[in-house]
Amino acid sequence: MRALAGVLGRDVLEAGRNLLPIIVVVAFFQAVVLRQPLPGMDRIIVGGVLVVLGLALFIRGLELGLFPLGEAMAVGFARKGSLWWLVAFAFALGFTTTIAEPALIAVSGEAAEVAASSGVILDEDAAQASYALGLRLTVAFAVAIAIVIGVVRIIKGWAIQWFIIGGYLCVVVMTLFAPAEIIGIAYDSGGVTTSTVTVPLITALGVGLATSIRGRNPMIDGFGLIAFASLTPMVFVMAYGIIV
Amino acid sequence: MNGLLEPLAEALRETLLGVVPIATVLVVFQVFVLRRRVAQVGRMIAGVGILTLGMVLFLTGLGEALFPLGRLMAGQLTDPAVVGVASDESALHWSDYWLVYTFGAAIGFATTIAEPALIAVSMKAHDVSGGTLNAWALRVTVAVGVAIGIAVGCLRIVTGTTLAYYIAAGYVIVAFQAFRAPRSIIALAFDTGGVTTSTVTVPLVAALGLGLASTIPGRSPLIDGFGLIAFASLFPMMTVMGYAQISLVRSRRSQRLPLREV
C-alpha cells in the first residue's frame, strides 16, 4: 500500500511538472498584463487538481495497458502472417475510433450549419443531419484508409516522404477547387481525428509491427501512422465538399 | 462539489465513446482472428481502466479550470480596449497586436507540453531510440514549433492574408527538409504534426482564433477563425526536423574537431 502511494506520488509530481508551463503563462498574463481579478478561483483550483491527477493516471495507464496492448496486437498479427487480416484490423480500428469521436461530431455539426447558411444544402434539420452524418462517414473512411496504407507501408518498408509529399500536393490542388466554406473545416478535421486514446494505441501498433518484422527499423518505419491519419481527412473532406 | 457531478458524467460519456469502440475491435480480432493467449491480460485491462479514469478526471479538470480561463483571457487580449487602440478600423497596424502574438505563442507552448498524446509519442520514441532521443527535448522542440505556428497564424488573421499561401509555402519547406533530415527522424516528425492538435491545445487555440477574427474589422470568424490549428500542426514538423538536422551538423563538426569537444 505504501509502495503504491509512493508510485502515485511520483506520478503526480511528474504530471505537475508537465502542467507547470500553463500555470506560469496564465499567472504571468493575469498578474502583469491583464491585471483583472479571476472569477471562480475555487473552481479553478479543483479543476487544476483533477487535471494533475488525471494526467498522472493516464500516463500510468499507458505504460500498464495501452502500450503493451498495441504491441501485443502487432506481434499477434506479425506471427499470424496474414496481410489481409492485418488490413481488415487496420481498417476496422481506423473507422470505429473515428466515427464515434466527440470532437468530430461537433465539427461536422458546425460544418452542416455553415453549409446550410451558405445555401449548399437545404436549411432544414433533416438535410443538415444527413450532411453531418455524410461528413462523419467520410472522415472515418479517410482515417481507415490512412491506417491501412500506413500499415502496408510499414510492412513493405517504403519511404514515408513520397506519401506525405504526394498527400500535401493533393491537399494544395484540392484547395484550389473546393468551396471556400469547406476549406477551414477540412484543414481542422485532420487534427480532430487523432484523439488522445487513439494516438498511443496506433503508435504502439506501428512500432510493434516494425519491431517484429525482420529488416524494419522501428524508428524509420514504425512511426508515421498518425501523420497519415491527419492527412487523408483533409483530402476526403474537400472531395466531399466538391461532390455535395 | 455537487456541481462537479455533471461535468464528470459528461467526461465519462465522451471517454467511453472513444474507448468502447477501440476495445470492441481489439476483443473481436483477438477472439476470432488471432486466437492466441496474450500474457498478462489482467494487467493490461487494469491499465486501460486506469487510463480511462485518468482521461475522465483530466477532461473534467480542463473543462472546469483551463478552458473557461483560457477563453476568458483570449477574449480579454483580443479586446480592442486591452490591445490599446480605438475600436474604429482606422490606423490599426499589425504590430499593435504584439500582445496577442506573445500570448498565442506562450499558451501554444504551454498547452503542447501538457498534451497527453504528445507525452505518449515521446515516451515511445525515447524507448525505441534506446534513449538517444530525449523525450523532454522532443516535447520542447515540438512546443516551440507550435508557439511559432500560433504566432504566425495570429499574424495571418490580423493581416488578412490567404491561408492557403502560408500552408503551401510551409509544405514546400517541409518537403525540402524531408529529403535533407536524418531518415530516423522523418516519420516521427510527421507524426508530431498530428499529435499536437489534440485535447488541450485545440479548444484554446480555436478560442483565440475566433476571438481575434471577431474583433478585427473585416474578418469573418467562419473563414478567418479557422486555420490556426493547421499552423499548429505544420510548424512542429519543421522544428523537429530542423532540430535533428542541427544535431547532425554539430556531431559531424565535433567529429572533425575532436580536440575542441574534449
Side-chain angles (χ1 to χ4, degrees):
Chain A
M1 205 57 213
R2 274 186 72 181
L4 191 72
V7 166
L8 195 66
R10 232 179 306 135
D11 285 357
V12 166
L13 273 183
E14 176 67 30
R17 197 169 72 132
N18 292 324
L19 293 161
L20 202 61
I22 294 189
I23 299 169
V24 171
V25 169
V26 169
F28 174 81
F29 274 87
Q30 282 299 335
V32 179
V33 182
L34 294 168
R35 274 176 283 180
Q36 281 162 12
L38 274 181
M41 205 54 206
D42 48 341
R43 251 183 90 185
I44 291 171
I45 290 170
V46 171
V49 170
L50 287 180
V51 168
V52 172
L53 210 62
L55 192 58
L57 290 174
F58 175 84
I59 294 172
R60 181 56 52 183
L62 269 185
E63 283 170 340
L64 283 177
L66 212 51
F67 277 160
L69 201 62
E71 272 153 36
M73 293 305 278
V75 170
F77 277 106
R79 279 218 191 108
K80 192 167 176 69
S82 157
L83 180 66
W84 291 111
W85 275 122
L86 180 59
V87 164
F89 174 69
F91 189 92
L93 195 64
F95 193 88
T96 50
T97 54
T98 311
I99 195 76
E101 179 62 47
L104 177 62
I105 296 174
V107 166
S108 53
E110 228 169 85
E113 276 172 32
V114 175
S117 66
S118 62
V120 177
I121 54 170
L122 291 175
D123 198 356
E124 290 165 359
D125 284 350
Q128 281 194 27
S130 84
Y131 184 88
L133 183 67
L135 200 58
R136 270 171 67 195
L137 287 171
T138 307
V139 174
F141 189 71
V143 173
I145 294 291
I147 308 290
V148 168
I149 297 175
V151 162
V152 172
R153 180 197 78 88
I154 291 175
I155 291 179
K156 302 284 184 193
W158 291 326
I160 193 170
Q161 294 94 312
W162 300 108
F163 290 88
I164 300 287
I165 291 166
Y168 281 161
L169 269 178
C170 276
V171 171
V172 171
V173 169
M174 302 217 32
T175 305
L176 300 176
F177 297 104
E181 309 84 32
I182 202 90
I183 291 173
I185 288 155
Y187 282 8
D188 278 0
S189 69
V192 160
T193 51
T194 46
S195 85
T196 307
V197 183
T198 322
V199 165
L201 184 71
I202 288 182
T203 306
L205 180 76
V207 168
L209 274 178
T211 313
S212 32
I213 296 170
R214 209 184 303 159
R216 295 289 161 270
N217 176 331
M219 212 47 210
I220 295 174
D221 304 302
F223 292 95
L225 289 179
I226 310 294
F228 283 18
S230 37
L231 208 159
T232 52
M234 295 195 237
V235 177
F236 279 56
V237 168
M238 281 194 270
Y240 184 74
I242 292 171
I243 293 164
V244 176
Chain B
M1 278 300 129
N2 261 339
L4 266 183
L5 267 177
E6 208 174 306
L8 271 174
E10 176 58 26
L12 181 67
R13 196 187 68 89
E14 262 188 39
T15 310
L16 287 182
L17 267 178
V19 171
V20 170
I22 299 180
T24 313
V25 171
L26 290 182
V27 169
V28 164
F29 274 84
Q30 177 58 39
V31 171
F32 293 104
V33 180
L34 293 177
R35 279 179 289 187
R36 193 186 284 266
R37 266 190 64 83
V38 179
Q40 294 185 309
V41 170
R43 216 176 103 125
M44 286 187 202
I45 294 174
V48 172
I50 292 174
L51 179 126
T52 308
L53 178 66
M55 273 306 281
V56 171
L57 297 183
F58 188 72
L59 288 177
T60 310
L62 287 181
E64 285 295 299
L66 187 62
F67 291 161
L69 197 59
R71 289 204 188 99
L72 183 75
M73 290 174 75
Q76 286 173 342
L77 281 165
T78 48
D79 189 345
V82 175
V83 178
V85 282
S87 58
D88 65 74
E89 46 201 278
S90 61
L92 265 181
H93 195 246
W94 62 267
S95 58
D96 292 333
Y97 289 91
W98 63 272
L99 209 53
V100 176
Y101 314 139
T102 317
F103 177 72
I107 202 78
F109 180 91
T111 53
T112 305
I113 292 291
E115 200 64 78
L118 180 62
I119 297 177
V121 169
S122 348
M123 277 165 65
K124 205 79 221 168
H126 185 92
D127 287 349
V128 168
S129 69
T132 50
L133 192 89
N134 182 285
W136 188 253
L138 178 65
R139 283 166 60 198
V140 170
T141 310
V142 173
V144 168
V146 173
I148 300 171
I150 305 287
V152 174
C154 288
L155 184 69
R156 184 201 72 83
I157 295 177
V158 169
T159 54
T161 33
T162 314
L163 174 66
Y165 293 159
Y166 286 82
I167 300 292
Y171 285 167
V172 170
I173 296 174
V174 168
F176 268 110
Q177 280 184 299
F179 288 99
R180 308 289 302 169
R183 261 189 87 192
S184 59
I185 201 76
I186 293 170
L188 179 64
F190 287 142
D191 268 1
T192 58
V195 165
T196 48
T197 52
S198 200
T199 326
V200 196
T201 316
V202 167
L204 286 183
V205 164
L208 189 66
L210 291 176
L212 199 54
S214 50
T215 307
I216 295 170
R219 300 285 173 277
S220 136
L222 271 178
I223 292 175
D224 299 301
F226 291 104
L228 265 189
I229 293 162
F231 280 90
S233 53
L234 182 62
F235 281 77
M237 303 186 212
M238 295 185 204
T239 52
V240 170
M241 284 194 276
Y243 177 74
Q245 286 173 295
I246 292 169
S247 333
L248 188 73
V249 169
R250 275 178 139 181
S251 71
R252 276 196 190 142
R253 224 178 252 163
S254 67
Q255 273 165 7
R256 238 179 277 154
L257 303 165
L259 278 179
R260 258 178 75 183
E261 197 62 16
V262 177

